[in-house]
């Protein structure tokens, strides 16, 4: 079991967080048009999974803006922001903030993604939603970088994650 924290208070996570070199499980999440979307839909491309509790919070929005800017400067970069939010809320935030270079996916229909990827908060005030993490996958869904952010109030290590995509 993995752990993170919220303002220094420990939070347990369900499942095991993927480590560098492992191959991740497929997932089924919901895209902005309410269609099921799987990891297989992005086969053959490197992917940066930016996993956040809610796109409609300060740190989550900030990280989405930074990854959006990186994707704007590199059209080959596939950034998927995965959150517990409803697709409608994610679309509203992306539209308002001009986040046109990232894809958004919601775990609204089931929480298996959170458990399979070791990022579903098991306790604490945000139990039942996703912790903050970044996972970079190669074309075959092998992990080439992973960071489970130590505290939900912290930003991820952007430069390290983006550098992993260049390898």
């Amino acid at each position: 079991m993995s752990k993170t924290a919220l303002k220094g208070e420990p939070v347990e996570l369900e499942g095991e967080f993927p480590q560098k070199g492992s191959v991740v499980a497929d997932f089924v999440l919901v895209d902005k048009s309410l269609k099921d979307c799987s990891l297989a839909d992005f086969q053959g491309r490197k992917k940066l999974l930016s996993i956040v509790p809610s796109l409609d919070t300060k740190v989550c929005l900030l990280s989405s803006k930074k990854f959006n800017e990186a994707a704007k400067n590199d059209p080959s970069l596939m950034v998927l922001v995965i959150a517990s939010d409803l697709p409608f809320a994610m679309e509203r935030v992306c539209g308002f903030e001009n986040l046109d270079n990232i894809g958004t996916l919601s775990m609204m229909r089931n929480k298996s993604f959170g458990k399979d990827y070791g990022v579903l908060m098991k306790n604490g005030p945000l139990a039942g939603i996703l912790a903050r993490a970044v996972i970079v996958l190669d074309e075959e869904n092998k992990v080439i970088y992973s960071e489970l952010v130590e505290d939900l109030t912290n930003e991820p290590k952007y430069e390290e994650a983006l550098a992993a995509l260049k390898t």
Side-chain angles (χ1 to χ4, degrees):
M1 182 182 311
S2 303
K3 291 186 180 188
T4 189
L6 176 59
K7 297 179 182 177
E9 292 297 318
V11 175
E12 291 183 5
L13 304 173
E14 292 191 49
E16 292 298 321
F17 186 67
Q19 299 301 309
K20 186 176 179 178
S22 64
V23 176
V24 295
D26 198 2
F27 58 66
V28 176
L29 296 167
V30 181
D31 71 10
K32 66 182 179 181
S33 62
L34 301 179
K35 293 187 341 192
D36 286 346
C37 184
S38 76
L39 189 57
D41 293 330
F42 307 101
Q43 192 64 28
R45 296 184 71 182
K46 286 185 178 179
K47 298 156 284 290
L48 185 147
L49 308 181
S50 176
I51 304 163
V52 300
S54 172
L55 191 55
D56 201 14
T57 62
K58 182 180 174 183
V59 177
C60 299
L61 181 57
L62 181 59
S63 65
S64 297
K65 286 180 176 181
K66 290 197 179 194
F67 286 132
N68 182 73
E69 190 62 29
K72 179 180 178 181
N73 295 327
D74 182 357
S76 69
L77 177 57
M78 168 61 59
V79 176
L80 299 171
V81 176
I82 302 170
S84 303
D85 299 317
L86 291 173
F88 310 112
M90 295 170 81
E91 185 68 9
R92 178 185 50 78
V93 171
C94 287
F96 186 73
E97 298 291 341
N98 298 313
L99 303 177
D100 335 349
N101 303 299
I102 59 175
T104 56
L105 298 172
S106 168
M107 68 165 203
M108 68 178 245
R109 292 199 178 119
N110 71 58
K111 297 181 190 254
S112 62
F113 170 82
K115 293 175 186 176
D116 292 346
Y117 283 66
V119 291
L120 185 66
M121 288 187 260
K122 188 175 180 178
N123 64 347
L126 299 177
I129 66 172
L130 299 172
R132 184 178 322 288
V134 177
I135 302 171
V136 178
L137 305 173
D138 71 8
E139 296 84 351
E140 284 79 43
N141 300 326
K142 184 176 179 181
V143 177
I144 53 178
Y145 175 83
S146 66
E147 175 193 8
L148 179 58
V149 178
E150 188 175 288
D151 193 294
L152 295 170
T153 60
N154 296 343
E155 294 177 62
K157 298 172 184 159
Y158 303 108
E159 297 308 318
E160 290 180 29
L162 293 169
L165 283 166
K166 305 291 184 199
T167 60

